[in-house]
Amino acid sequence: MRHEASEVLKKLAGPAAELREDQWTAIEALVAGHRRVLCVQRTGWGKSAVYFVATALLRARGAGPTVIVSPLLALMRNQVDAAARAGITARTINSANLEEWDAITAEIASGSVDVLLVSPERLNNPAFRDDVLPKLAATTGLLVVDEAHCVSDWGHDFRPDYRRLRTLLLDLAPDTPVLATTATANSRVTADVAEQLGDALVLRGSLDRESLRMGSLTLPSPSHRLAWLGEHLGDLPGSGIIYTLTVAGAHETAAYLRGQGYEVAAYTGKDETADRLGAEADLLDNRIKALVATSALGMGFDKPDLGFVVHLGAPSSPIAYYQQVGRAGRAVKKADVLLLPGKEDADIWRYFASLAFPPEHQVRAVLDVLAGAGRALSTMALEPRVELRHSRLELMLKVLDVDGAVRRVKGGWEFTGVPWRHDTERYARVAAAREAEQEAMRRYSALTTCRMEFLRGQLDDQETAPCGRCDNCAGAWYSSEVSPEALAAARAHLGRAGVEIAPRKKWPTGMAAVGVGLTGNIPAREQALPGRAIGRLSDLGWGDRLRSLLTGPDGPVSDEVFKGVVTTLAEWAKGDARWEQRPAGVVVIGSRHAPELLGSLGARIAEVGRLPLLGTVPSGAATELASRTNSAQRVRALHGGFSIPPSLAEAVRDLDGPVLLVDDQVDSGWTMALVARGLLLAGAKGVLPFALAVTA
């Protein structure tokens, strides 16, 4: 059987390929022993070879198709191509190929498919779960759980949909082999995943990556980091990935590098699928120097000759960092890995930490609403009734589904009546583990000892030793200096002010259920016009300055930020997307937490624009609650929370042009939408929203 396995491997990886001992141990356990196996091995070790070789051997012995649960479309596409090289027919079912599902299901039924790759989200799609999954479970010859650390909420990238694997494991025939693989699991995550598999053979190898040369450069500002990258990107070997912490950062960096003459593309979860596919193909074929990506490219992208990975900003976990840098150096002798941390990284970590599992009282409120409804409710129908944002509500419902307290059905979520307990202690321990990971990442950035040894230690690798390659072992190979010309170019790029505030055009679903008579499309005569802000709080350039102003003590707008205000208004007046009519007066939205900031901002805009300052729209107490909730709850809190004083209504009616409506920041956009609606109903000719910052 080992000879047979070797022949399949040669088809898969080339005539020189030889099975590693742990690869053979895993294959033999799966094929001959029908065991459950957990492989914790470094990126590039050949975990996918284990399941493709095992598939070929099992299929030759009459077993059913292999089912691979895989987290990202990029990984699926790579693996379909890899399987074909070994004569294995693979198909994938995911959200991007809905039109192919029926044909693929028919191929599975006919026995012509050897491997089916499914995304974890499919496991809890009602139609797939109820109609397809039971048949798959009955006929599966091998179940593979790729990126298995996602199963564990101790892991750096926990995904609730992966917990649905528990049900699938229970439905498998008793002797069905199961393989779980990951490159990023410390001892706690390994033990958690192994326990969920049940009686698993754990094969854990050294996590050293001999091809990686690791370094860190501490630079004083986002401008310095961007300038450094613009000067040195051409020196980095081959093609690679530049990771940023935010979507805005990815697009901002890509735009700057293109302006410096580099062929690069942005890649984020917010980009269109076709654009992401095109960007992947360009990098795979070396048509571009780099993808500038968020963690959307974190798992599954397979380019063996990737020559470098640079991080503009540090991930919140050394384990996540190890996973991302593992994209590089898989089939080349040397690859460069560089971290350029920023002081703003911690603010971004805190934001993502705020999206964790909600406290018990919010969970109970959702369960009470579902129990009282007596029927299934969609996430959008739930939003007006609970105080959770859409993404956080969706995450919580998936966890409750796995716990059995709710069930996803056609039409939404239904209450099951199964008792549920909020595991407060466990959530607190997970939160503490996350904080410890953040502290470890801070230590990594300032490390004076071996970087690879530190990362391997964070992953509980027992065979750590200094690598002899990193900047601390062998000396820095790149200078942290940037030229005055490069710094000036980066500052000019990041200093550009102005982002659009898109008007709200449709009311949230289900407002009637909470006593608010707003539904459907917002009439055009009640809509604000497109607005402007200086920048996003997540911007590399303006983000830090705007966050400092908005989170600090209340006080007048600073001269530095007001220069950005003037620049933004000037560009708005003359750009391609300029306003159709110049504003004729200024109105300020009242604030309880920053009255001095907004008062000075409105007054200075009126002075520099030679416009009348018409007054302030006062806000009620309930409007302060709106910042903590989803769109439906925000509209509920804001509706009736702003009143247009008679004197202000008279003033806006007398204007010959639109009102410039001023606020400090825009999050959901509903405050602007409702105050604008009030001004328009009072007789304003139009409303142009303006804010210092947008949060998205």
Side-chain angles (χ1 to χ4, degrees):
M1 190 168 72
R2 181 162 187 164
H3 174 74
E4 187 182 350
S6 295
E7 291 303 307
V8 176
L9 180 68
K10 292 180 190 302
K11 292 180 183 178
L12 186 69
E18 297 289 344
L19 282 170
R20 304 176 191 272
E21 283 306 312
D22 272 1
Q23 285 178 319
W24 168 242
T25 300
I27 292 166
E28 185 179 37
L30 293 167
V31 179
H34 292 261
R35 294 284 308 275
R36 295 188 173 186
V37 179
L38 170 58
C39 270
V40 183
Q41 303 284 357
R42 67 182 183 275
T43 301
W45 175 85
K47 296 182 289 294
S48 60
V50 171
Y51 49 76
F52 283 136
V53 172
T55 293
L57 269 57
L58 285 165
R59 290 290 278 168
R61 287 156 178 76
T66 291
V67 175
I68 302 176
V69 180
S70 178
L72 290 180
L73 300 185
L75 181 65
M76 291 185 182
R77 289 187 290 272
N78 292 155
Q79 294 190 336
V80 168
D81 294 340
R85 292 197 298 271
I88 295 169
T89 302
R91 295 286 184 268
T92 175
I93 288 181
N94 58 68
S95 57
N97 68 343
L98 299 176
E99 70 284 354
E100 299 175 18
W101 283 19
D102 289 342
I104 292 170
T105 302
E107 286 184 274
I108 294 168
S110 70
S112 60
V113 172
D114 301 309
V115 172
L116 176 67
L117 295 105
V118 298
S119 61
E121 293 76 17
R122 289 304 97 202
L123 299 178
N124 203 29
N125 173 277
F128 186 84
R129 181 195 64 210
D130 297 338
D131 301 334
V132 179
L133 202 56
K135 299 172 186 174
L136 274 181
T139 61
T140 294
L142 169 65
L143 174 65
V144 177
V145 183
D146 209 359
E147 306 295 352
H149 59 272
C150 296
V151 172
S152 174
D153 54 6
W154 295 107
H156 71 275
D157 195 22
F158 168 60
R159 302 189 181 193
D161 289 303
Y162 261 80
R163 299 303 280 266
R164 181 57 50 191
L165 288 164
R166 291 175 174 176
T167 304
L168 181 55
L169 288 168
L170 291 173
D171 291 342
L172 292 173
D175 63 342
T176 303
V178 177
L179 172 65
T181 68
T182 179
T184 49
N186 58 19
S187 296
R188 173 176 273 170
V189 173
T190 299
D192 191 12
V193 176
E195 180 184 357
Q196 293 185 52
L197 290 177
D199 188 27
L201 169 65
V202 179
L203 298 172
R204 187 182 176 93
S206 169
L207 299 178
D208 189 20
R209 293 290 310 283
E210 295 180 359
S211 62
L212 299 185
R213 181 171 64 164
M214 311 187 80
S216 180
L217 292 173
T218 300
L219 298 165
S221 72
S223 297
H224 283 82
R225 294 195 294 278
L226 207 57
W228 186 94
L229 190 58
E231 284 200 304
H232 291 281
L233 182 56
D235 301 330
L236 293 169
S239 56
I241 300 171
I242 301 165
Y243 279 110
T244 66
L245 297 184
T246 66
V247 171
H251 285 282
E252 209 166 9
T253 301
Y256 173 75
L257 292 174
R258 284 194 292 268
Q260 297 302 301
Y262 294 107
E263 293 292 333
V264 300
Y267 186 107
T268 78
K270 296 292 182 68
D271 294 320
E272 295 292 334
T273 300
D275 293 335
R276 293 200 303 271
L277 289 174
E280 286 176 22
D282 286 343
L283 184 62
L284 287 168
D285 294 337
N286 294 315
R287 290 191 291 269
I288 57 176
K289 179 67 176 178
L291 282 184
V292 186
T294 63
S295 59
L297 196 69
M299 289 188 295
F301 185 76
D302 183 14
K303 178 176 168 58
D305 62 342
L306 205 69
F308 65 87
V309 170
V310 176
H311 279 77
L312 286 181
S316 61
S317 159
I319 302 172
Y321 182 66
Y322 176 89
Q323 189 272 326
Q324 289 177 353
V325 302
R327 298 297 104 211
R330 298 175 66 174
V332 293
K333 291 183 177 180
K334 186 170 67 174
D336 284 349
V337 170
L338 288 168
L339 173 65
L340 279 61
K343 64 179 182 178
E344 70 277 6
D345 297 348
D347 291 336
I348 298 170
W349 299 347
R350 277 191 292 273
Y351 169 75
F352 286 116
S354 72
L355 305 179
F357 195 76
E360 182 172 6
H361 74 275
Q362 290 184 321
V363 183
R364 296 287 178 197
V366 173
L367 291 173
D368 288 345
V369 169
L370 284 172
R375 59 183 176 84
L377 293 176
S378 68
T379 307
M380 287 193 297
L382 273 169
E383 282 186 71
R385 299 168 168 88
V386 299
E387 295 187 359
L388 286 167
R389 294 193 181 200
H390 182 91
S391 58
R392 202 174 182 202
L393 176 60
E394 190 81 22
L395 172 72
M396 185 202 72
L397 288 165
K398 289 178 178 180
V399 174
L400 292 177
D401 189 356
V402 172
D403 290 343
V406 304
R407 176 178 168 81
R408 187 178 179 187
V409 297
K410 291 180 180 178
W413 306 87
E414 65 180 12
F415 183 66
T416 65
V418 174
W420 179 81
R421 182 178 70 88
H422 188 276
D423 197 343
T424 306
E425 292 184 3
R426 182 177 178 86
Y427 294 133
R429 291 197 302 272
V430 171
R434 296 285 182 267
E435 290 179 5
E437 289 172 349
Q438 293 176 12
E439 180 55 34
M441 202 63 216
R442 292 186 185 96
R443 296 205 311 274
Y444 177 86
S445 299
L447 206 62
T448 58
T449 55
C450 178
R451 297 192 186 279
M452 180 59 79
E453 185 177 32
F454 179 86
L455 291 177
R456 291 171 68 189
Q458 290 294 308
L459 282 152
D460 297 323
D461 191 340
Q462 301 301 311
E463 303 176 16
T464 60
C467 71
R469 304 179 301 274
C470 71
D471 56 352
N472 291 332
C473 287
W477 66 98
Y478 286 115
S479 168
S480 61
E481 296 297 320
V482 296
S483 69
E485 295 78 13
L487 184 58
R491 282 175 172 163
H493 178 80
L494 294 181
R496 293 184 304 181
V499 296
E500 183 176 339
I501 300 172
R504 284 287 188 173
K505 297 185 177 182
K506 190 173 184 178
W507 298 114
T509 301
M511 297 307 303
V514 291
V516 177
L518 299 173
T519 184
N521 295 326
I522 302 174
R525 65 182 180 280
E526 297 177 15
Q527 287 181 28
L529 298 164
R532 286 293 185 280
I534 298 176
R536 302 176 183 87
L537 293 182
S538 57
D539 284 346
L540 293 175
W542 277 100
D544 190 45
R545 285 172 282 183
L546 292 170
R547 285 195 303 271
S548 297
L549 179 66
L550 296 174
T551 59
D554 186 26
V557 62
S558 67
D559 290 342
E560 179 189 25
V561 170
F562 193 70
K563 287 180 182 177
V565 171
V566 174
T567 300
T568 302
L569 291 171
E571 290 296 322
W572 194 6
K574 65 183 182 181
D576 292 337
R578 59 183 176 270
W579 54 46
E580 293 185 5
Q581 187 176 4
R582 188 179 190 273
V586 177
V587 173
V588 176
I589 296 179
S591 169
R592 291 170 176 262
H593 68 275
E596 191 174 352
L597 172 63
L598 276 168
S600 69
L601 178 62
R604 292 185 70 173
I605 289 174
E607 180 183 8
V608 77
R610 299 180 182 179
L611 299 170
L613 181 60
L614 303 175
T616 299
V617 179
S619 61
T623 61
E624 296 299 308
L625 300 174
S627 64
R628 301 198 299 268
T629 55
N630 56 57
S631 284
Q633 284 290 328
R634 289 182 185 212
V635 172
R636 180 186 185 185
L638 294 168
H639 185 243
F642 294 98
S643 57
I644 310 299
S647 59
L648 180 57
E650 183 178 356
V652 299
R653 279 197 299 271
D654 291 341
L655 291 179
D656 292 330
V659 169
L660 187 72
L661 181 61
V662 177
D663 203 354
D664 54 353
Q665 61 182 307
V666 170
D667 185 4
S668 66
W670 286 117
T671 295
M672 281 290 191
L674 285 159
V675 175
R677 178 175 181 264
L679 290 169
L680 291 164
L681 292 175
K685 308 297 188 298
V687 175
L688 293 163
F690 179 83
L692 296 175
V694 293
T695 59

